[in-house]
Amino acid sequence: MPVSYYTPTRVVFGKDAISELKTELKLQNATKVLLHTGGSSAKKSGLLDKVISILDESNIAHVELPGVKANPRLSLVREGIALGKKEGVNFIIALGGGSVIDSSKAIGYGLKYDGDVWDFYSGKAKPVASVGVGVVLTISAAGSEMSDSSVITNDEDGWLKRGCNSDVCRAKFAIMDPTYTFTLPPYQSSCGTVDIIMHTLERFFHSGYGISLTDNLAAALIKTVMVSGKKVLENPEDYEARASIMWASSISHNGLMQVGNENRGDWSCHQIEHELSGMFDVAHGAGLSVVFPAWARYIYKAHAERFAKLGNLVFGLEGDNEKVALETIEKFEEFFSSINMPVHLSEMNITLDEKTMEKLLDKLTNNNTRTLGIFHNLKREDMKKIYEIAQ
Amino acid sequence: MPVSYYTPTRVVFGKDAISELKTELKLQNATKVLLHTGGSSAKKSGLLDKVISILDESNIAHVELPGVKANPRLSLVREGIALGKKEGVNFIIALGGGSVIDSSKAIGYGLKYDGDVWDFYSGKAKPVASVGVGVVLTISAAGSEMSDSSVITNDEDGWLKRGCNSDVCRAKFAIMDPTYTFTLPPYQSSCGTVDIIMHTLERFFHSGYGISLTDNLAAALIKTVMVSGKKVLENPEDYEARASIMWASSISHNGLMQVGNENRGDWSCHQIEHELSGMFDVAHGAGLSVVFPAWARYIYKAHAERFAKLGNLVFGLEGDNEKVALETIEKFEEFFSSINMPVHLSEMNITLDEKTMEKLLDKLTNNNTRTLGIFHNLKREDMKKIYEIAQ
C-alpha cells in the first residue's frame, strides 16, 4: 500500500503572496537559482522583474532560462540541465503555469542524474532525487504546483508526450496570487477550467472501492469550477472566481480527489489527449474537452451507475441510470461549449485521415505494447473508435 | 502573510495501512521510540502488540508511556518528557486519538526545550523544534493527526485548558485504517462526528473575504459526515462510513477548510467548550454540541446572511436570511440530538451556579484579560449569556 496523501508543498495563497518569496527561498537554502519562464508575459507584467529584485535583495544569484512553450519540450529541458550543471544551480524557480513547472521538474531530476533524463519519462528509470523546485504560479490549470506529475514532449524523437509521477518532484513552495491570472486570455482560462474538471473526473472514474467523502468533494469542486469558469469569462478580474479556480487547480491534482479510493483513477482521456496535443500542438484543456465526451459516449453503457452518480452529484439528475448517464455527458458537453471549448476535433481543424490515425494509435499504444485505463480498459480498436467519435 | 496550507504529513489511508509503518519509521530514522498510548483498548485489540512487533522487527528500541486520558494532562506530558530525555528517545509514536496525539506533540516540544513546556501553551514562548511524532490513529475526531494544534489541560495549576498551534508539531506520518474505529462506542463516535463538523464550522465563520470553493467543500464535508455519522450508529462496521468520517476528521482540521479565507475563523465555541471540559471533564464533542447552538442563537441576528448561506449549502434552505439562519441552527440541533448528543448542559447534569459561572468566566477571560472571536467578538458578559442559553 503506497502513501495515500502527501502534499509537502508550502502554499502561500492570496493577494500579495509574493511578499513571502524571500522567506520561502531562505527556508530552502537557495544560493544559486535557475529562473525558468515561458514567453514574455511575466516580463511584460513586471512579475519577472519583481522576482529578480527579490533574488537580488536576498543575495541569491540567478541565471534565467526563458522559452518554455505549451507541451514543454525535452530539448529545452536538456538545455536547462546543461545550464544548471555549468552554473552550479541549487534551486529552481518555476515562474509560470503547468508547462514551466513540468519543465522545471524535469530539469530538477536531470540535475541529480548522470543518465539521460528521458529515462524517467520512457519508464526506464525512477527518479530518486531532484534539485528543489519552487513555484510562482501565473496560470490555473495543470495543478502541477502541488502534483507529483511532470509531462514532457520529446521533440527530438517522434514527438512522444510522456509523464513521470514521483513524490520527489513535488514543489517545495507555491506562491499563488489569483490576481496574476487576471490577464489570462479567455481561451486559456477556459482550457484551465476543463483541465481542472478533468483532473477530478479522471479520479472519479476509478475502479474498485471508494468513499462518499471524496465523491462529494469532487462534485463540490466541479460545480464550483463550472460557476467560476463562466464568471471569469464575464469579468476576468473577478478575484473570488479566479481564486476558487486557482485553488481548485491545485487540489484537483494533488491527490485529495483520490483519497480512500482503490486506485488513482482511469486517465485514458489524458493519454488519448496527450498524443493529440503532442502531434498537433493543441492546448491540453481544449484537447480534453473533445476527448472526454467521446470517451464517455463510447463506454458509458457499461458503467451507467457511476456516470449516473456523477450526474446526480453535479447536476442533481435523477432517474434511470443509463438515461441519466447520457444526460450527464450531454451536460458536460453543453458546459464545455458554453465556455467556448471545442467538443469535436473538427472545431480545432483537425482531420484524422487513415494514415494519421494509424500513426496516432501506434504512438498511443507504444507500438501495440500497451492498453489504457483502469476504469474501462481500452485496446487499440477502442482507442480508434474514440478518436472517430471525437471527429 | 503566513503560509496558507502546509500539510507535510505522509498519510497512509485504508485497510491494513499498518503494513507501511516499518517503511515510515525507517524514513524518519527512528532508533528509539516513545510509544505513547491511552487506556487499555489498543492492548485489548492487539494493535499495541502489532506495533511493538513491527518495532522489534525493525530493530527499533522503544519505551512505553500509557495512560493518556481525554483532555490530556500536563502532568503526564512532564512525565513523558522526563522519560524521553532519560531514555534518549528520538521519535514518538502516538497510538490513539486526539488526546494521545496532542500529548505526544507536547512531549515532542518538551524534548527539544530547556524551559517549561507549559510556556508554549500559556503563550510565553513559541516552539521552534520538536522530536518527530508519527500517528497510528484509532479515533476519528480531533483531526490532530494532520493539524498544527495541540491542546493540554494544566492539572497542576487551575485546570486551565490551553492550545498551542505550530507547524513544528505536524505529524510526520499518519497510519489511518478505518477498521480500527469499528469498536468505537456509539457515544464516542457521535462526539467525533460533532467535533469534525465543528472544526469545519469554526472556519466557516471567518471574518472578511473568503472563496466559494472553500465554502462548498465545507458544506460537502459537513453533509457527508452527517450521513456517515448516522450510518455508524446503525452499523459500527460500515467501512465506507467509518472511512469518510476518518478522512473528514483530518481534512476538517488540517487547514483545507480555511484556504482563501481572510483568517482561520472564529473559534469562540472551542474556547467556551474548553473551559467546560477542563472543569467538568466532559467529552469535547459533547461539549461542542451544547455550546454551538447557544453561541449561534446568541449572535445569529447580527450575521444572518452567513448563517443563511450555511443553511442553504448544507440543508438547501431558502428564503429570508434571518428566518433561514434560525432554521439552520435548529437543523443542527436536531441532527446533534438525533445522534444522541446533548444540546443543553442539563443533559450532561451540569448546573452553573453563580460561583461556578464566575469561576468559568475568570478562566475563559484569563482573568478579564482577553475577549474571544474574530467573526463575532465576545466580551465577558456575552460569554456569560451564552453559558446561560446553554443551560
Side-chain angles (χ1 to χ4, degrees), chain B residues 172-234:
Chain B
K172 301 297 181 188
F173 61 77
I175 305 289
M176 297 171 61
D177 182 339
T179 64
Y180 294 167
T181 64
F182 283 179
T183 52
L184 217 56
Y187 186 79
Q188 230 177 322
S189 297
S190 289
C191 282
T193 298
V194 176
D195 201 10
I196 294 164
I197 290 171
M198 283 308 302
H199 285 156
T200 313
L201 287 180
E202 295 275 22
R203 290 174 166 92
F204 185 88
F205 291 110
H206 60 84
S207 62
Y209 58 78
I211 65 174
S212 58
L213 179 57
T214 297
D215 278 359
N216 294 338
L217 293 176
L221 187 148
I222 290 170
K223 284 196 280 186
T224 308
V225 169
M226 284 177 151
V227 171
S228 303
K230 285 199 170 190
K231 279 187 180 172
V232 299
L233 295 186
E234 285 156 24

Side-chain angles (χ1 to χ4, degrees), chain A residues 1 4 7 11 20 212 240, chain B residues 1 4 7 11 20 212 216 240:
Chain A
M1 171 183 287
S4 311
T7 56
V11 175
E20 288 298 307
S212 57
E240 188 284 310
Chain B
M1 170 181 290
S4 313
T7 55
V11 175
E20 288 299 307
S212 58
N216 294 338
E240 189 284 311

Side-chain angles (χ1 to χ4, degrees), chain B residues 81 92 103-113 129-133:
Chain B
I81 295 167
I92 301 167
S103 185
S104 297
K105 287 173 171 178
I107 294 170
Y109 287 147
L111 286 175
K112 291 275 190 182
Y113 185 58
S130 170
V131 163
V133 174

Side-chain angles (χ1 to χ4, degrees), chain A residues 140-254:
Chain A
S140 310
S144 190
E145 63 277 6
M146 286 189 87
S147 80
D148 65 349
S149 159
S150 157
V151 182
I152 298 295
T153 297
N154 190 337
D155 54 335
E156 297 171 339
D157 184 12
W159 292 90
L160 288 176
K161 187 172 175 180
R162 290 290 178 269
C164 169
N165 294 328
S166 166
D167 281 334
V168 165
C169 78
R170 297 217 190 235
K172 302 296 182 190
F173 62 77
I175 304 290
M176 296 173 59
D177 182 340
T179 65
Y180 294 166
T181 64
F182 282 180
T183 53
L184 215 57
Y187 187 79
Q188 230 176 323
S189 297
S190 290
C191 281
T193 298
V194 176
D195 201 9
I196 294 164
I197 290 171
M198 283 307 302
H199 284 155
T200 313
L201 287 179
E202 295 275 22
R203 289 175 167 91
F204 185 87
F205 291 111
H206 60 83
S207 62
Y209 58 79
I211 65 174
S212 57
L213 178 57
T214 297
D215 278 359
N216 294 339
L217 293 176
L221 187 149
I222 290 170
K223 284 194 280 186
T224 308
V225 168
M226 284 178 151
V227 171
S228 304
K230 285 199 169 189
K231 280 187 178 170
V232 299
L233 294 185
E234 285 156 23
N235 174 14
E237 303 201 358
D238 183 329
Y239 177 83
E240 188 284 310
R242 289 288 192 189
S244 283
I245 290 175
M246 184 173 254
W247 183 230
S249 82
S250 302
I251 61 173
S252 68
H253 206 31
N254 74 355

Side-chain angles (χ1 to χ4, degrees), chain A residues 73-106:
Chain A
R73 287 157 201 198
L74 182 60
S75 55
L76 191 67
V77 168
R78 291 201 203 285
E79 203 180 307
I81 295 168
L83 181 65
K85 283 187 175 173
K86 184 179 144 227
E87 298 281 345
V89 155
N90 69 355
F91 198 74
I92 302 168
I93 294 179
L95 168 53
S99 298
V100 173
I101 305 168
D102 283 10
S103 186
S104 297
K105 287 174 172 178

Side-chain angles (χ1 to χ4, degrees), chain A residues 102-360:
Chain A
D102 283 10
S103 186
S104 297
K105 287 174 172 178
I107 294 169
Y109 286 147
L111 286 175
K112 291 276 191 181
Y113 186 58
D114 289 329
D116 179 4
V117 71
W118 187 250
D119 292 351
F120 301 129
Y121 295 83
S122 66
K124 266 190 201 161
K126 279 194 186 306
V128 292
S130 170
V131 162
V133 174
V135 174
V136 179
L137 192 65
T138 62
I139 303 174
S140 310
S144 190
E145 63 277 6
M146 286 189 87
S147 80
D148 65 349
S149 159
S150 157
V151 182
I152 298 295
T153 297
N154 190 337
D155 54 335
E156 297 171 339
D157 184 12
W159 292 90
L160 288 176
K161 187 172 175 180
R162 290 290 178 269
C164 169
N165 294 328
S166 166
D167 281 334
V168 165
C169 78
R170 297 217 190 235
K172 302 296 182 190
F173 62 77
I175 304 290
M176 296 173 59
D177 182 340
T179 65
Y180 294 166
T181 64
F182 282 180
T183 53
L184 215 57
Y187 187 79
Q188 230 176 323
S189 297
S190 290
C191 281
T193 298
V194 176
D195 201 9
I196 294 164
I197 290 171
M198 283 307 302
H199 284 155
T200 313
L201 287 179
E202 295 275 22
R203 289 175 167 91
F204 185 87
F205 291 111
H206 60 83
S207 62
Y209 58 79
I211 65 174
S212 57
L213 178 57
T214 297
D215 278 359
N216 294 339
L217 293 176
L221 187 149
I222 290 170
K223 284 194 280 186
T224 308
V225 168
M226 284 178 151
V227 171
S228 304
K230 285 199 169 189
K231 280 187 178 170
V232 299
L233 294 185
E234 285 156 23
N235 174 14
E237 303 201 358
D238 183 329
Y239 177 83
E240 188 284 310
R242 289 288 192 189
S244 283
I245 290 175
M246 184 173 254
W247 183 230
S249 82
S250 302
I251 61 173
S252 68
H253 206 31
N254 74 355
L256 183 68
M257 294 296 148
Q258 72 201 42
V259 174
N261 296 345
E262 188 165 327
N263 48 59
R264 289 172 64 105
D266 192 76
W267 297 98
S268 287
C269 291
H270 264 73
Q271 306 285 359
I272 293 169
E273 195 291 315
H274 279 173
E275 297 312 335
L276 280 179
S277 59
M279 191 180 278
F280 299 102
D281 215 25
V282 303
H284 180 53
L288 287 171
S289 178
V290 169
V291 170
F292 172 69
W295 171 82
R297 282 177 181 280
Y298 183 65
I299 67 149
Y300 81 93
K301 286 186 183 169
H303 308 275
E305 192 179 336
R306 190 70 180 149
F307 277 92
K309 175 85 182 172
L310 177 68
N312 179 258
L313 292 177
V314 175
F315 303 111
L317 300 173
E318 286 182 358
D320 171 71
N321 279 346
E322 205 171 295
K323 186 175 149 281
V324 170
L326 184 58
E327 283 170 14
T328 303
I329 298 165
E330 289 165 352
K331 288 267 186 196
F332 275 105
E333 284 172 328
E334 279 165 30
F335 171 73
F336 292 158
S337 295
S338 78
I339 58 165
N340 306 313
M341 284 285 103
V343 291
H344 295 288
L345 287 171
S346 56
E347 294 171 71
M348 294 193 292
N349 298 317
I350 292 174
T351 316
L352 299 178
D353 58 29
E354 190 60 25
K355 202 178 144 194
T356 312
M357 177 72 93
E358 295 308 318
K359 199 174 156 195
L360 258 182

